[in-house]
Amino acid sequence: MLNRNYYLISLGRLCQTAIGTLLCLGCWGQLPSFANPASGARVAQNPAPATSQPAAQPNPTIDVSPEILNGSPVLQKWLKGIPDVMDDIRRDPSFRTRVKVGYSQYPSTNQTGGVHVAVDDVFFGRSGLSASANYNSGGSRSAYGADAQYYLLPLGGYLNVTPLVGFRHLQTDKYNRDGLNLGVKLMLVPSRGGGADIALSQSWVGLGSGTETGLTTLSVGFAITNNIRLSTDLQQQNAKENYDSRVGIGFEWMP
């Protein structure tokens, strides 16, 4: 009797388990199917939310006052079109043509005072060729002449060098000189566009002759406006008859 009851209880539990399994399978059929994508069956998934694209923004415009625009050659150039910067470095001088006028003093000639005028670096087109001319006078001292220069390095750089050749007249109370002027000039440009530059030149009038006279000149210019600069010149004039000096200060106009 005990064994019979045991088998009846086991059979009941087995039927209960089978019924529960069938109910679960029925519920499974109501759920979405997550089949293996490799089997080719469709996979039911919730669609991903659409991402919102940012609205296109209009191109910004720069509002520049006419006063700033008229006073800025750089802005005017860029508004016309994107410049060739490398070509500018090669061809556009970092220093500008300068027209000088000022006062000169001659320490070696009893501190005599006088005047000086000059035009420096009038360029021919966009080449490295330029011309310069100057005149100074005071008491028994006077000098004038003109030179041609051809700059050997790219004009837009901060450093340049040029040979110079021209004619020079020199007059003092001890001698007169006229002749070919040959030499070299070094340009240093701490601030491009005429803001500041330093010129150092060494030349000789009548080079190799018995009347050879050396001229060493240091010129410094510093801008105070877009077109006006302060300038100073220091010059040493060395001849066998005498050593003469000149100090000049004045204004420069840059066209």
Side-chain angles (χ1 to χ4, degrees), residues 1-19:
M1 181 65 68
L2 180 61
N3 291 336
R4 184 179 178 181
N5 292 335
Y6 174 77
Y7 288 117
L8 289 174
I9 293 170
S10 299
L11 181 60
R13 290 179 177 177
L14 181 61
C15 291
Q16 184 180 4
T17 303
I19 291 170

Side-chain angles (χ1 to χ4, degrees), residues 26-75:
C27 294
W28 180 264
Q30 302 299 323
L31 296 174
S33 174
F34 294 90
N36 187 351
S39 66
R42 181 175 59 84
V43 180
Q45 297 180 350
N46 292 328
T51 58
S52 60
Q53 298 293 336
Q57 298 293 331
N59 291 331
T61 59
I62 301 176
D63 186 12
V64 180
S65 67
E67 293 79 7
I68 295 177
L69 183 59
N70 293 334
S72 175
V74 175
L75 280 177

Side-chain angles (χ1 to χ4, degrees), residues 175 177 209-214 238-243:
Y175 61 87
R177 296 280 189 274
S209 67
T211 59
E212 177 180 303
T213 304
N238 302 322
K240 65 178 183 179
E241 292 90 348
N242 198 30
Y243 294 98

Side-chain angles (χ1 to χ4, degrees), residues 105-111 140-141 170-175 177 202 204 212-216 235-247:
Q105 188 164 354
Y106 302 88
S108 61
T109 314
N110 300 319
Q111 300 295 335
S140 62
R141 295 276 304 277
L170 305 173
Q171 179 176 330
T172 71
D173 56 352
K174 293 183 171 58
Y175 61 87
R177 296 280 189 274
Q202 176 64 53
W204 294 268
E212 177 180 303
T213 304
L215 295 171
T216 304
Q235 188 176 70
Q236 183 73 31
Q237 183 171 306
N238 302 322
K240 65 178 183 179
E241 292 90 348
N242 198 30
Y243 294 98
D244 296 298
S245 56
R246 181 180 68 85
V247 178

Side-chain angles (χ1 to χ4, degrees), residues 17-203:
T17 303
I19 291 170
T21 302
L22 291 174
L23 291 174
C24 289
L25 290 174
C27 294
W28 180 264
Q30 302 299 323
L31 296 174
S33 174
F34 294 90
N36 187 351
S39 66
R42 181 175 59 84
V43 180
Q45 297 180 350
N46 292 328
T51 58
S52 60
Q53 298 293 336
Q57 298 293 331
N59 291 331
T61 59
I62 301 176
D63 186 12
V64 180
S65 67
E67 293 79 7
I68 295 177
L69 183 59
N70 293 334
S72 175
V74 175
L75 280 177
Q76 295 172 19
K77 185 175 183 179
W78 277 83
L79 288 175
K80 293 178 182 177
I82 299 176
D84 186 339
V85 178
M86 292 304 297
D87 186 65
D88 288 348
I89 291 175
R90 289 191 299 269
R91 298 181 182 274
D92 283 352
S94 56
F95 49 96
R96 296 161 59 182
T97 300
R98 304 167 305 280
V99 179
K100 301 181 180 182
V101 59
Y103 170 81
S104 286
Q105 188 164 354
Y106 302 88
S108 61
T109 314
N110 300 319
Q111 300 295 335
T112 302
V115 297
H116 68 269
V117 294
V119 179
D120 286 337
D121 290 312
V122 178
F123 285 94
F124 295 90
R126 301 187 72 192
S127 70
L129 181 63
S130 75
S132 301
N134 57 68
Y135 169 82
N136 65 81
S137 177
S140 62
R141 295 276 304 277
S142 66
Y144 58 83
D147 299 302
Q149 300 102 188
Y150 190 85
Y151 290 94
L152 303 179
L153 301 179
L155 292 177
Y158 293 95
L159 172 68
N160 221 313
V161 62
T162 174
L164 59 87
V165 56
F167 172 83
R168 185 76 56 204
H169 167 81
L170 305 173
Q171 179 176 330
T172 71
D173 56 352
K174 293 183 171 58
Y175 61 87
N176 291 332
R177 296 280 189 274
D178 291 294
L180 184 66
N181 186 47
L182 297 174
V184 63
K185 182 169 74 170
L186 177 68
M187 286 291 299
L188 300 175
V189 188
S191 178
R192 289 169 42 89
D197 52 57
I198 302 169
L200 176 64
S201 67
Q202 176 64 53
S203 65

